[in-house]
Amino acid sequence: MQADIAGNPDFGHLKMRLDRGDSVYVESGAMSAMDDRIDVQIKLLGGFLPAVGRKLLLNESLLVGRYSSGAPDQRLSVSPAIPGQVLHKSMQGDTVMMQAGSFLACTDGIKLGTVFGGIKALFSGEGMFFLKVTGNGDLWYNAYGSIVEKELNGSELTVDTGHIVGWEPSLNWEIRGMGNLMSTIFSGEGLVMRFSGTGKVWLQTRSVGGLVNWLRGYC
Amino acid sequence: MKTEIIGREAFQSIKVTLSPGEQFVSEAGKMVRMSTSLTNEVESVKKSGGFLGGLKRMLGGEAFFFSRYTAQSEGEVVLAPTLPGNVGFRELDGTRGWYCAGGSYLGSGPEIKTEPKWQGMKGLFSGESMVFIHATGIGPLVMDAFGTVTEEMVDGSFTVDTGHVVAFEDCLDYTISKAGGSWFNSWLAGEGFVIRFSGQGKVLVQSHNMKEFGAVIGPKLPPR
């Protein structure tokens, strides 16, 4: 298998060539083009009923497509929905937490699970579930804008929820409001994540919530 | 006539330089600037295929009208797409035409004929490519894209999400169908439609998908 990131930093996407027997997991709807000898199976993250519930209640899918090649040298292109950077991480038994929208693709040896973000996550505008990515292999993730890595060594960091891409679970994390709970919930703004301990946090330089709030002024 | 792509990758435009008497046609509303030595005539709906032709172009995500630029003396016109991304052109030699999908037609030389092709009910459900613009003839054909463009060779068969198709050579056969799996899976996954190409020819694929980008932003906006 060969995988190249193209189009960075503005229009990052993934161009892969799969050999017979190769398979990759891809965020649902992110396949843009492929050769004919690739088969697709839809996989629900977290089981069937929770997946249907999330779709009905929250319109969140958390589905991935499993793309498997039945022939050598099959093209597969994968693109995120939002313009920005695509990055690769080589996973060697480590675990990362991700905003669901930041996951783009991974190889077969990586497991994807869902973690409930708590009731406050519902109001963050970024979705109620986080992805827990663990295992061995290649992980590709994307951001709105470019990606900035911050490393904490016992220090603390406060990040707007809309700018979170992912973090290492060695860190403590909680979602909290900038003001009191009621004003946070009713304004839909000012939710932050507070990290402490040791580990890395990945941030994106733009937020979808920011774009949406700007557009609201013109609706 | 000279065509030149200007601007960097994410924000490209095209500059067309015309000699006296030369003409260029564009999708209406895409002009950024033009020399005073050029006249700009909006083609009446009748001239470009009647009311129905104009309606089809509107449904296809194209403007209702075309603009025709004529140079009285040498001058230039700059055209730009709506969203960030690449602008590119192909020189048509009269042997093969191109189908432009999803609003990718930006402009063309005066010897290029542009005809909307209705894609039927399946096209309607796909939400973005109900009408393709079939461009034939000789001269430059200018297209725009959301993101960067890759030219993919089809030899056999090749599948592209409808929202990622910029254009394809008219020698290719194609069918519009639902992305793999059952209707239920498709609903769960939020998958759209794909175009399955067969034969031998070129397809221009854009890295990003306007419909998917809109689907991320749209539901978060208040209803009109």
Side-chain angles (χ1 to χ4, degrees):
Chain A
M1 188 185 83
Q2 190 194 328
D4 295 308
I5 296 171
N8 269 347
D10 297 328
F11 296 110
H13 59 288
L14 204 49
K15 287 175 186 290
M16 303 176 126
R17 288 198 176 251
L18 303 186
D19 287 319
R20 190 194 305 273
D22 285 343
S23 55
V24 289
Y25 289 96
V26 171
E27 180 196 5
S28 75
M31 182 280 295
S32 56
M34 64 181 195
D35 270 314
D36 210 42
R37 296 294 305 280
I38 292 180
D39 281 329
V40 193
Q41 275 179 301
I42 304 291
K43 299 275 183 188
L44 309 167
L45 297 183
F48 181 76
L49 279 178
V52 173
R54 281 195 303 266
K55 176 72 184 176
L56 288 174
L57 293 173
L58 307 167
N59 203 25
E60 266 181 54
S61 279
L62 298 186
L63 281 141
V64 290
R66 186 171 189 267
Y67 291 78
S68 312
S69 177
D73 204 28
Q74 296 287 292
R75 288 170 285 185
L76 173 67
S77 298
V78 176
S79 296
I82 292 176
Q85 202 173 3
V86 168
L87 287 183
H88 168 260
K89 183 174 168 58
S90 179
M91 302 278 284
Q92 281 137 7
D94 25 355
T95 302
V96 289
M97 304 288 289
M98 299 223 109
Q99 195 77 259
S102 297
F103 170 77
L104 186 61
C106 67
T107 51
D108 227 8
I110 289 180
K111 288 195 166 46
L112 301 168
T114 56
V115 172
F116 180 56
I119 211 74
K120 282 182 185 168
L122 181 62
F123 298 99
S124 72
E126 307 300 320
M128 206 170 178
F129 291 87
F130 297 113
L131 282 183
K132 189 179 179 184
V133 186
T134 181
N136 288 289
D138 297 301
L139 168 69
W140 292 273
Y141 56 105
N142 64 276
Y144 180 29
S146 51
I147 295 180
V148 176
E149 182 179 290
K150 291 280 178 193
E151 186 152 12
L152 302 191
N153 287 304
S155 49
E156 292 194 336
L157 185 68
T158 300
V159 182
D160 183 287
T161 50
H163 286 274
I164 297 285
V165 171
W167 67 94
E168 289 181 332
S170 56
L171 290 164
N172 301 311
W173 57 278
E174 69 167 327
I175 298 176
R176 49 162 81 177
M178 286 292 268
N180 66 47
L181 181 65
M182 291 309 275
S183 73
T184 299
I185 287 173
F186 288 109
S187 72
E189 282 190 292
L191 271 175
V192 293
M193 280 182 88
R194 172 74 68 89
F195 296 96
S196 60
T198 305
K200 287 174 185 161
V201 182
W202 295 277
L203 315 176
Q204 55 189 359
T205 58
R206 292 290 183 275
S207 91
V208 171
L211 174 62
V212 167
N213 284 335
W214 174 74
L215 281 170
R216 274 173 187 272
Y218 299 89
C219 282
Chain B
M1 183 191 305
K2 209 180 97 206
T3 47
E4 186 193 348
I5 306 292
I6 55 175
R8 69 174 194 95
E9 191 170 80
F11 295 102
Q12 286 181 330
S13 308
I14 188 156
K15 184 170 84 175
V16 183
T17 309
L18 300 175
S19 301
E22 284 187 328
Q23 290 189 328
F24 201 77
V25 178
S26 85
E27 182 189 353
K30 298 296 169 158
M31 193 268 287
V32 178
R33 63 177 170 89
M34 65 183 216
S35 311
T36 48
S37 59
L38 264 57
T39 58
N40 174 8
E41 208 186 334
V42 176
E43 299 265 283
S44 77
V45 182
K46 251 182 205 159
K47 272 187 202 160
S48 51
F51 175 75
L52 205 60
L55 187 70
K56 281 180 175 176
R57 268 192 295 285
M58 192 172 70
L59 289 170
E62 302 294 316
F64 211 78
F65 300 101
F66 291 101
S67 284
R68 183 177 291 270
Y69 308 92
T70 308
Q72 307 306 313
S73 56
E74 182 167 313
E76 59 192 37
V77 55
V78 172
L79 307 169
T82 309
L83 286 177
N86 286 173
V87 171
F89 63 90
R90 291 287 182 275
E91 284 292 337
L92 272 55
D93 62 5
T95 56
R96 280 180 187 180
W98 286 81
Y99 283 105
C100 298
S104 67
Y105 171 82
L106 185 59
S108 51
E111 305 302 323
I112 302 263
K113 190 174 143 200
T114 51
E115 234 185 323
K117 298 277 183 191
W118 176 250
Q119 296 305 309
M121 286 309 279
K122 275 181 180 165
L124 196 70
F125 288 126
S126 80
E128 69 270 332
S129 303
M130 294 185 291
V131 175
F132 294 157
I133 301 287
H134 190 198
T136 50
I138 296 172
L141 168 66
V142 186
M143 294 165 275
D144 58 56
F146 181 29
T148 62
V149 174
T150 307
E151 185 177 284
E152 299 281 6
M153 239 353 257
V154 180
D155 186 6
S157 55
F158 192 64
T159 300
V160 186
D161 185 293
T162 49
H164 287 275
V165 178
V166 174
F168 56 94
E169 288 185 317
D170 62 3
C171 54
L172 284 168
D173 288 324
Y174 65 94
T175 55
I176 300 175
S177 61
K178 198 167 50 63
S182 67
W183 280 99
F184 182 70
N185 273 347
S186 187
W187 169 75
L188 267 181
E191 294 270 8
F193 283 75
V194 293
I195 304 184
R196 285 180 210 282
F197 295 101
S198 53
Q200 288 186 322
K202 291 169 190 155
V203 182
L204 303 179
V205 179
Q206 59 189 357
S207 64
H208 284 64
N209 181 334
M210 288 182 192
K211 193 188 156 201
E212 270 179 36
F213 185 52
V216 170
I217 309 299
K220 297 178 198 280
L221 293 172
R224 272 183 186 266

